[in-house]
Amino acid sequence: MSQTKFNVRKVAVLGAGVMGAQIAAHLVNAKVPTILFDLPAKEGNKNGIVLKALEGLKKLKPSPLSNKDAVGYIEPANYEDHLHLLKDCDIVIEAIAERMDWKADLYHKVAPHLGEHTIFATNTSGLSINKLAESCPDSVRPRFCGVHFFNPPRYMHLVEIIPCVTSDAGILDNLERFLVTTLGKGVVRAKDTPNFVANRIGVFSMLATIANAEKFGIRFDIVDDLTGPRLGRPKSATFRTADVVGLDTFSHVVKTMDDTLPGDPWHGLFKSPEWLQKLIAAGALGAKSKVGIYKKDGKKMFVFDAAAGDYIGAGQKGDDAVKDILKIADPAEKFRQLRASEHPQAQFLWACFRDVFHYISYHLADIANCARDVDFAIRWGFGWSVGPFETWQSAGWQQVAQWIDEDIKAGKTLSSAALPDWALQADRAGVHFANGSYNAAGQSLVGRSTLDVYQRQLAPARVLGEVSAPLGETVFENDGVRAFTTGDEILVVSFKSKAHAIGPDVIDGLNKSLDIAEDRFKGLVIWQTEEPFSVGADLQSMLPAFMTGDWAAIDTTVRRFQDTSMRLRYSQVPTVAATQGYVFGGGCEFAMHCDKTVAALESYVGLVEVGVGLLPGGGGCKEFALRAAQEAKGDVLAALKDYFMAIATAKVATSGQEAQEIGFFRKGDPVVFNAYELLHVAKQQALAMAESGYRPPLKVKGFPVAGRSGAASIKGSLVNMLEGHFISQHDFFIASQIADVMTGGDVEAGTLVNEQWILDLERKAFMTLLQNAKTQDRIANMLTTGKPLRN
């Protein structure tokens, strides 16, 4: 079976709880028809439980749905009436509560209805896959495995596949292909040990942090200040993460470790602290109950103090001396200073790192196939920017191992278990190397997966120590961009600026790259080596001219920006924008002018210039005016209104699919679920256009605009918003300028204009706003605080 193509026509999810409903949502995001099952409701519609879950999906933030229509493709079902539908499903995912007896009962019920090739998988977060397989008939066991999604399933990159001893290798490969390309996931194959890889280590890390916070007397809010972004970890850090996950859920995972790992040398740590049990008993479960370790009272935030057994005012930060150590760029020096410092907060941080290093080295042989799987699991499942083995290796393997060994012998660690021999080898430089990552069980290096689906990842996720040379061969480079080729006649351009902001160097580099592409290549792709695609124009680079009032220089820059957008539109070779992350302002305008956009699902797109008191000046207003004219069925104003609102309210699309609905991207442009496949797909699109005899679009000779009467109509609704205090006087002024530009200026409705006409209006209005004191205040505020000012 593994030789034939595996088509997934339909999937069923069993269980409409938090995880089941969100897994179903992500399946339909990816256009996979999905049936969502639960128990029959006791009264009313028998699908009532599922219908309630579907309503719940629409209210969640961040949204599990990537477009407003997706939820309609989830078919509600119940176990009493609809089990016959399972025979047409290629994959069935069980996602009910974490109880072995309930799961076993359900498997007996559904097994007779599965198709003969259906993959049957459980989304358990920690129960034994082999034990669960025993509840399946012999015929199903080769097609049974664990498939553990992380919450929230749309946004968390990690999925663990856990085979049981009877799982067929071809089935596992097919499931991995589907998860990687269709659902956009990073797959780690885990061993069947309690809590698998990510939760086993991630939850241990949280328990070790809690234990060390108590040992060194560190307040919970200070712990969160020190263990979040300062360590390259999520803002929710440690205790806020527990609140977000749910204190009851966290406690349940800890209990699983307590029950199933009696022989673990750290077993004494696998207990929910007494203060945590008291919070749970009081119904303080975290974010879902609005009170947990943290609670808000009015505008004031409070944090639980375990020593006092009560809440205290929150907001204390780590000590400046300790934060200065964390800023040290050289990892070896940073760890040396943390360990040497006598400050309790520094000792606490060293202890947290040391205890995780101790645990992962001790358990590597029994919980993971290699060290790379551990690092990817923690990066993708817990949001760390650098995995624990990578952190250790970057700080100097030998030195850190020696320190851990000394601390074990001195009785300072959470367990007296010795470091494994392999970790203390005199010649060991780390666990990640150019030719593979260390497998402790086999004492060998394991290379990357050779599964065909990974050939599409031209710039895959890497771990420290793997080959990290820049992709492809550089064709041209300046301070703003690098243009390179991988030998397939497509020129790829990546921006080098911070957050890929577009300043003079980027514009010069992009124009030079277009020259080269027209001369020697079949197409041009704009793709960034990491997100975001672009946060828009580099306002900082305009600052000198801005301060001296050199408006002519700025006008020239804006004109050059517009000309570059138009070059992307009318170039002699096909142009493709490959977007992910923020696609704001000028970045959005460049994408709108390319022949095609290939968007990662997680592309957040918007013309957001009003936030700094400006309007889109790189062709965004023009492009929407043109599209409205092309879509209008005799009424340009009606077609224009939604586009106007998108700019005037700085509307941001929260997915590549929503960007198409709003009109930033064209309907039918590809949306790619796995961002690591973005470059491959973008290059294939450019090649396909080139191979089909690409010619640039013919310049639009004239298109109708809504004129001054259209502008007056829009301004009439703006007056109502102003009088209702929904917008400020300056918001009204900006929106009026946008209306004047998008309706074509002071002309009669229906007048035919060309693109340059609107571009000139756009640039003039941009300059008018730029010279306004209130806009200047907005820009200054954004550059100094990073936040928009409402004035």
Side-chain angles (χ1 to χ4, degrees):
M1 176 179 171
S2 57
Q3 297 308 306
T4 54
K5 186 161 175 267
F6 178 58
N7 290 313
V8 178
R9 295 172 183 83
K10 191 175 275 192
V11 173
V13 178
L14 310 179
V18 173
M19 282 303 282
Q22 291 200 53
I23 291 168
H26 194 56
L27 285 159
V28 291
N29 288 342
K31 299 191 171 72
V32 179
T34 302
I35 310 171
L36 181 58
F37 279 84
D38 212 303
L39 295 164
K42 290 192 168 61
E43 48 196 52
N45 188 322
K46 280 172 89 173
N47 292 335
I49 294 172
V50 175
L51 293 169
K52 187 177 175 193
L54 297 184
E55 280 307 305
L57 288 174
K58 297 175 191 171
K59 299 179 188 131
L60 282 176
K61 291 274 182 275
S63 176
L65 300 159
S66 60
N67 63 87
K68 62 179 188 304
D69 300 328
V71 74
Y73 294 93
I74 301 175
E75 185 182 342
N78 68 76
Y79 302 127
E80 208 167 90
D81 300 334
H82 303 117
L83 287 177
H84 62 279
L85 298 174
L86 293 174
K87 72 176 187 308
D88 296 325
C89 295
D90 299 291
I91 301 173
V92 174
I93 299 169
E94 170 270 305
I96 68 166
E98 292 286 83
R99 281 204 25 192
M100 198 70 94
D101 54 339
W102 290 1
K103 290 182 190 286
D105 185 47
L106 183 63
Y107 295 2
H108 291 308
K109 194 183 288 183
V110 302
H113 299 275
L114 298 174
E116 61 175 315
H117 297 301
T118 303
I119 296 175
F120 187 37
T122 172
N123 180 56
T124 179
S125 58
L127 297 178
S128 166
I129 305 301
N130 283 297
K131 191 93 187 111
L132 288 167
E134 290 171 11
S135 300
C136 297
D138 290 350
S139 61
V140 171
R141 286 183 198 178
R143 297 178 275 127
F144 183 76
C145 65
V147 56
H148 179 216
F149 287 82
F150 278 67
N151 191 18
R154 170 182 161 187
Y155 299 96
M156 297 306 287
H157 191 56
L158 179 65
V159 172
E160 293 170 319
I161 291 182
I162 312 96
C164 56
V165 290
T166 51
S167 298
D168 174 84
I171 287 283
L172 297 171
D173 286 350
N174 278 336
L175 184 59
E176 185 162 347
R177 288 182 179 104
F178 172 73
L179 290 167
V180 170
T181 286
T182 308
L183 298 190
K185 296 304 172 193
V187 170
V188 166
R189 298 236 187 154
K191 296 185 179 185
D192 186 21
T193 54
N195 288 351
F196 315 129
V197 180
N199 275 346
R200 175 80 174 268
I201 295 162
V203 172
F204 172 83
S205 171
M206 289 174 74
L207 288 169
T209 304
I210 291 169
N212 284 314
E214 185 179 348
K215 179 177 173 182
F216 293 101
I218 315 291
R219 289 167 48 126
F220 294 175
D221 50 354
I222 292 177
V223 169
D224 278 357
D225 181 51
L226 293 172
T227 61
R230 296 183 201 284
L231 301 186
R233 297 181 190 172
K235 283 204 294 267
S236 56
T238 303
F239 291 104
R240 276 187 199 284
T241 295
D243 270 352
V244 170
V245 167
L247 301 188
D248 52 342
T249 306
F250 176 67
S251 178
H252 174 80
V253 177
V254 174
K255 183 162 184 349
T256 302
M257 292 171 80
D258 184 26
D259 293 346
T260 56
L261 295 166
D264 191 304
W266 283 264
H267 183 258
L269 192 67
F270 304 158
K271 297 268 189 293
S272 292
E274 205 171 303
W275 60 263
L276 184 66
Q277 293 173 31
K278 283 182 177 164
L279 284 176
I280 294 168
L285 305 179
K288 58 189 170 190
S289 65
K290 302 218 172 11
V291 56
I293 293 168
Y294 288 89
K295 75 169 182 179
K296 202 170 182 184
D297 191 355
K299 290 196 171 170
K300 290 189 77 172
M301 186 64 82
F302 295 87
V303 65
F304 192 74
D305 181 336
D310 205 353
Y311 289 92
I312 53 174
Q316 280 203 15
K317 305 286 184 202
D319 191 277
D320 287 344
V322 177
K323 291 191 285 197
D324 286 343
I325 297 175
L326 293 180
K327 287 176 188 160
I328 297 170
D330 173 18
E333 178 60 19
K334 176 164 35 187
F335 275 93
R336 191 190 68 71
Q337 289 202 27
L338 279 179
R339 188 165 188 268
S341 170
E342 292 188 355
H343 196 297
Q345 293 175 16
Q347 293 175 340
F348 156 76
L349 285 168
W350 158 249
C352 291
F353 279 112
R354 174 202 65 210
D355 292 333
V356 170
F357 297 160
H358 187 186
Y359 194 75
I360 59 177
S361 57
Y362 183 89
H363 281 300
L364 178 58
D366 52 80
I367 67 172
N369 294 314
C370 70
R372 180 178 51 245
D373 287 348
V374 169
D375 280 342
F376 279 158
I378 295 298
R379 276 164 50 177
W380 296 341
F382 278 77
W384 294 17
S385 59
V386 182
F389 275 125
E390 293 176 285
T391 305
W392 180 350
Q393 184 167 329
S394 70
W397 186 277
Q398 295 280 328
Q399 177 63 79
V400 173
Q402 184 191 322
W403 286 337
I404 300 169
D405 194 41
E406 285 170 14
D407 281 9
I408 294 169
K409 286 168 180 160
K412 292 180 176 177
T413 51
L414 294 172
S415 160
S416 58
L419 274 179
D421 292 342
W422 66 261
L424 287 164
Q425 282 166 351
D427 59 346
R428 178 160 296 285
V431 288
H432 300 307
F433 305 96
N435 52 341
S437 289
Y438 189 65
N439 167 351
Q443 296 181 11
S444 59
L445 293 181
V446 177
R448 299 298 287 259
S449 168
T450 55
L451 203 62
D452 51 4
V453 71
Y454 293 110
Q455 303 309 306
R456 297 164 56 86
Q457 299 191 5
L458 305 181
R462 298 264 181 222
V463 284
L464 176 97
E466 281 189 287
V467 185
S468 59
L471 184 65
E473 178 196 336
T474 302
V475 176
F476 162 76
E477 192 165 11
N478 71 352
D479 289 342
V481 311
R482 173 179 176 254
F484 65 91
T485 178
T486 56
D488 55 6
E489 298 188 88
I490 297 297
L491 188 65
V492 182
V493 182
S494 295
F495 301 171
K496 291 159 60 177
S497 51
K498 186 182 175 190
H500 307 131
I502 302 162
D505 291 334
V506 170
I507 289 175
D508 290 346
L510 188 51
N511 277 285
K512 177 69 174 165
S513 299
L514 282 161
D515 292 340
I516 295 168
E518 289 181 336
D519 205 28
R520 293 163 41 198
F521 288 88
K522 286 185 173 176
L524 179 137
V525 168
I526 304 175
W527 168 85
Q528 313 300 9
T529 54
E530 58 191 9
E531 60 177 89
F533 178 74
S534 173
V535 293
D538 181 5
L539 292 173
Q540 203 85 43
S541 69
M542 287 188 194
L543 218 50
F546 191 53
M547 300 304 279
T548 57
D550 189 350
W551 307 116
I554 295 176
D555 187 79
T556 303
T557 302
V558 178
R559 185 187 296 270
R560 189 137 168 68
F561 209 120
Q562 292 181 336
D563 290 347
T564 306
S565 290
M566 294 296 276
R567 269 206 81 184
L568 287 167
R569 163 64 44 83
Y570 294 111
S571 162
Q572 293 301 308
V573 292
T575 55
V576 178
T579 68
Q580 66 163 319
Y582 296 143
V583 189
F584 286 166
C588 178
E589 288 170 305
F590 278 177
M592 289 170 80
H593 282 82
C594 287
D595 291 299
K596 254 194 190 336
T597 304
V598 175
L601 178 72
E602 301 308 334
S603 293
Y604 304 97
V605 191
L607 294 169
V608 295
E609 285 83 350
V610 297
V612 286
L614 294 168
L615 52 67
C621 297
K622 179 275 300 177
E623 192 57 21
F624 270 170
L626 173 61
R627 291 182 190 187
Q630 290 168 337
E631 291 160 18
K633 296 180 173 66
D635 186 347
V636 178
L637 181 61
L640 189 70
K641 277 184 171 167
D642 284 347
Y643 287 144
F644 165 80
M645 287 305 289
I647 294 179
T649 61
K651 190 168 190 178
V652 174
T654 57
S655 73
Q657 294 169 348
E658 198 186 339
Q660 293 182 357
E661 287 172 14
I662 294 169
F664 296 123
F665 299 161
R666 293 175 192 81
K667 287 185 172 57
D669 276 357
V671 174
V672 174
F673 273 58
N674 196 319
Y676 294 111
E677 297 183 357
L678 198 57
L679 181 57
H680 166 78
V681 177
K683 294 202 313 177
Q684 293 301 318
Q685 293 286 327
L687 282 168
M689 283 188 277
E691 294 301 329
S692 56
Y694 176 82
R695 292 288 306 159
L698 293 168
K699 289 206 170 164
V700 183
K701 285 217 166 115
F703 59 90
V705 290
R708 67 177 82 86
S709 59
S713 167
I714 292 172
K715 287 175 192 174
S717 56
L718 291 175
V719 168
N720 294 336
M721 293 174 77
L722 180 65
E723 287 176 353
H725 304 294
F726 295 110
I727 58 174
S728 70
Q729 191 71 48
H730 192 50
D731 291 328
F732 176 79
F733 179 62
I734 299 163
S736 299
Q737 294 282 331
I738 296 167
D740 286 337
V741 173
M742 291 181 78
T743 55
D746 189 12
V747 295
E748 293 289 334
T751 301
L752 298 182
V753 302
N754 61 17
E755 289 177 272
Q756 193 56 50
W757 173 267
I758 306 271
L759 287 171
D760 291 343
L761 289 173
E762 187 181 271
R763 196 174 64 258
K764 188 176 166 211
F766 184 92
M767 295 305 298
T768 299
L769 288 167
L770 194 58
Q771 292 170 57
N772 182 292
K774 290 204 163 170
T775 283
Q776 291 172 4
D777 289 343
R778 287 192 182 189
I779 293 172
N781 196 72
M782 180 62 81
L783 289 176
T784 51
T785 70
K787 293 188 171 76
L789 171 73
R790 296 304 305 272
N791 58 355

